[in-house]
Amino acid sequence: MIKLLGTAHPIIQAPMAGISTPALAAAVSNAGALGSLGVGASSVDQARSAIIQTQSLTHKPINVNVFCNAPPRRNRTIEAAWISHFSPFFDKFGAEPPESLNEIYQTFVVNEDAFRMLLEVRPRFVSFHFGIPSVEKIAAFREAGIKTLATATNLQEARAIEAAGVDGIIAQGIEAGGHRGMFDPHAKDDQLGTIPLVRLLVRKSRLPVVAAGGIMDGLGIKSALEQGAVAAQLGTAFILCPESAADEGYRAILKSGRSGLTKLTSVVSGRPARGIVNRLIEHGEAGAGLPPADYPIAYDLAKQLHAAATREGTNEFAAHWVGQGALLAREFPAAQLVKTLLEEVAGTNAPV
């Protein structure tokens, strides 16, 4: 996998749309690991700009992650009920609840402009979340010299990834923060932990497997490698880096004891995702029998509510995505964090 990654070390910084930045990705790559940009929620122009900026900061490989979810299924009745459920909070914060909700970003599977842009700027890696694009697009990336990775949460998804010609599998355990990479969010979730999933995919797949989910230090990386993973992907571990885009509220709650209480829920965005429990999640979950609008339609409401709440001085309606190991987060510059992780893997430094 080191040969495949073109990196010195078997560590990937998770893409984390909204949190990753060119400065973070470049610092990680310059330190010998693989830095990533999450552009799934960006416009094509925003994504192009971020990739080019990152490429100007490092000549090392970088990974660009896109969302391959199915287009949302619009249901105006469900969407209206979802707005109504949260309307009291808009009233509380002196804001008008939205009359309707929007598809705030387009899935990569139908976004031809994004596909052409990636072929143009040619990051070393493109990774897929929520599914995979067509085999024709995957082949086009290969012909352009771009390696591909895709997230799997179970064996069936891993087999689809392998059959499509993707170069490697990111095995995302249930411990992971942020959105589950499930191809079908309505399907039964096996909820496999990172280690059992890695072992399963290492035995059942011919592709290299990257471990992801709940890994916060060098001992976690070493454990994943011992189970047969060829690299480990860490997300929450990098949120407190000064190079990340996390705001002060996000950083404060991650450094507090509250970061130990996380929940996997669909009520924020319309797809299962793990974040720190707050008023947004509690109220969404309290709507017994009320399904959220489809992804990313529900996310439009959550983002609007968060903006209204922030104007009134509360951070209780933000999406603070973190994994189950969040209490182990450390506040280091990205390059220092990579160095520390490697020392822990080598056993020359105990995790602190």
Side-chain angles (χ1 to χ4, degrees):
M1 190 61 173
I2 298 300
K3 181 178 179 181
L4 175 64
L5 291 177
T7 65
H9 310 300
I11 298 172
I12 300 174
Q13 164 244 318
M16 298 184 293
I19 297 298
S20 61
T21 65
L24 177 61
V28 172
S29 290
N30 285 331
L34 182 63
S36 303
L37 290 173
V39 302
S42 303
S43 69
V44 174
D45 287 342
Q46 289 170 334
R48 178 188 287 108
S49 176
I51 295 167
I52 292 173
Q53 183 180 350
T54 308
Q55 290 171 329
S56 75
L57 297 173
T58 183
H59 297 297
K60 301 290 183 66
I62 63 167
N63 168 47
V64 176
N65 180 260
V66 296
F67 296 157
C68 292
N69 52 289
R73 299 176 294 185
R74 302 304 301 258
N75 186 313
R76 304 298 178 180
T77 301
I78 289 177
E79 291 169 21
W82 199 240
I83 293 171
S84 178
H85 183 57
F86 285 94
S87 289
F89 287 106
F90 283 95
D91 296 338
K92 178 180 179 179
F93 300 132
E96 288 291 329
E99 294 183 1
S100 61
L101 300 176
N102 298 308
E103 182 181 355
I104 53 178
Y105 38 79
Q106 190 178 47
T107 173
F108 182 76
V109 297
V110 298
N111 194 331
E112 294 302 315
D113 290 340
F115 172 59
R116 288 191 292 269
M117 179 274 294
L118 289 174
L119 290 177
E120 173 192 335
V121 298
R122 296 195 182 193
R124 190 75 61 86
F125 279 85
V126 171
S127 60
F128 312 121
H129 206 58
F130 301 147
I132 50 178
S134 66
V135 293
E136 291 78 14
K137 287 183 177 177
I138 294 169
F141 284 133
R142 185 183 309 110
E143 291 169 8
I146 299 170
K147 298 292 186 180
T148 54
L149 300 168
T151 299
T153 64
N154 58 43
L155 179 59
Q156 293 72 29
E157 291 168 353
R159 285 174 169 162
I161 289 167
E162 184 171 349
V166 176
D167 294 301
I169 301 169
I170 299 170
Q172 186 193 41
I174 195 68
E175 304 96 326
H179 283 89
R180 291 281 282 160
M182 302 170 66
F183 286 19
D184 180 1
H186 304 289
K188 183 180 182 297
D189 188 353
D190 293 346
Q191 297 193 350
L192 293 173
T194 301
I195 296 304
L197 180 61
V198 167
R199 291 298 304 139
L200 177 64
L201 300 192
V202 166
R203 292 186 61 179
K204 298 292 186 178
S205 174
R206 293 172 296 178
L207 294 180
V209 175
V210 175
I215 303 173
M216 297 293 293
D217 56 28
L219 292 183
I221 296 170
K222 185 176 181 180
S223 177
L225 298 177
E226 289 174 344
Q227 299 300 322
V230 293
Q233 178 171 285
L234 289 71
T236 305
F238 285 95
I239 294 176
L240 291 180
C241 293
E243 299 93 338
S244 93
D247 61 25
E248 288 307 311
Y250 203 155
R251 294 173 187 273
I253 195 169
L254 178 52
K255 288 188 282 187
S256 76
R258 287 182 61 187
S259 67
L261 180 58
T262 68
K263 188 174 183 64
L264 188 67
T265 181
S266 297
V267 301
V268 176
S269 71
R271 285 188 72 106
R274 182 177 298 282
I276 299 172
V277 175
N278 58 12
R279 293 289 301 283
L280 174 64
I281 290 176
E282 288 173 342
H283 187 73
E285 292 279 339
L290 182 65
D294 211 1
Y295 175 88
I297 309 300
Y299 221 172
D300 182 27
L301 183 139
K303 289 176 182 292
Q304 291 189 56
L305 181 55
H306 170 50
T310 300
R311 288 192 293 269
E312 294 300 310
T314 178
N315 205 33
E316 279 295 304
F317 293 84
H320 291 140
W321 304 131
V322 300
Q324 288 184 339
L327 285 173
L328 299 174
R330 297 171 286 188
E331 195 168 11
F332 291 148
Q336 182 181 343
L337 179 57
V338 172
K339 180 176 182 291
T340 300
L341 292 170
L342 292 170
E343 290 172 347
E344 293 167 355
V345 171
T348 57
N349 188 12
V352 294

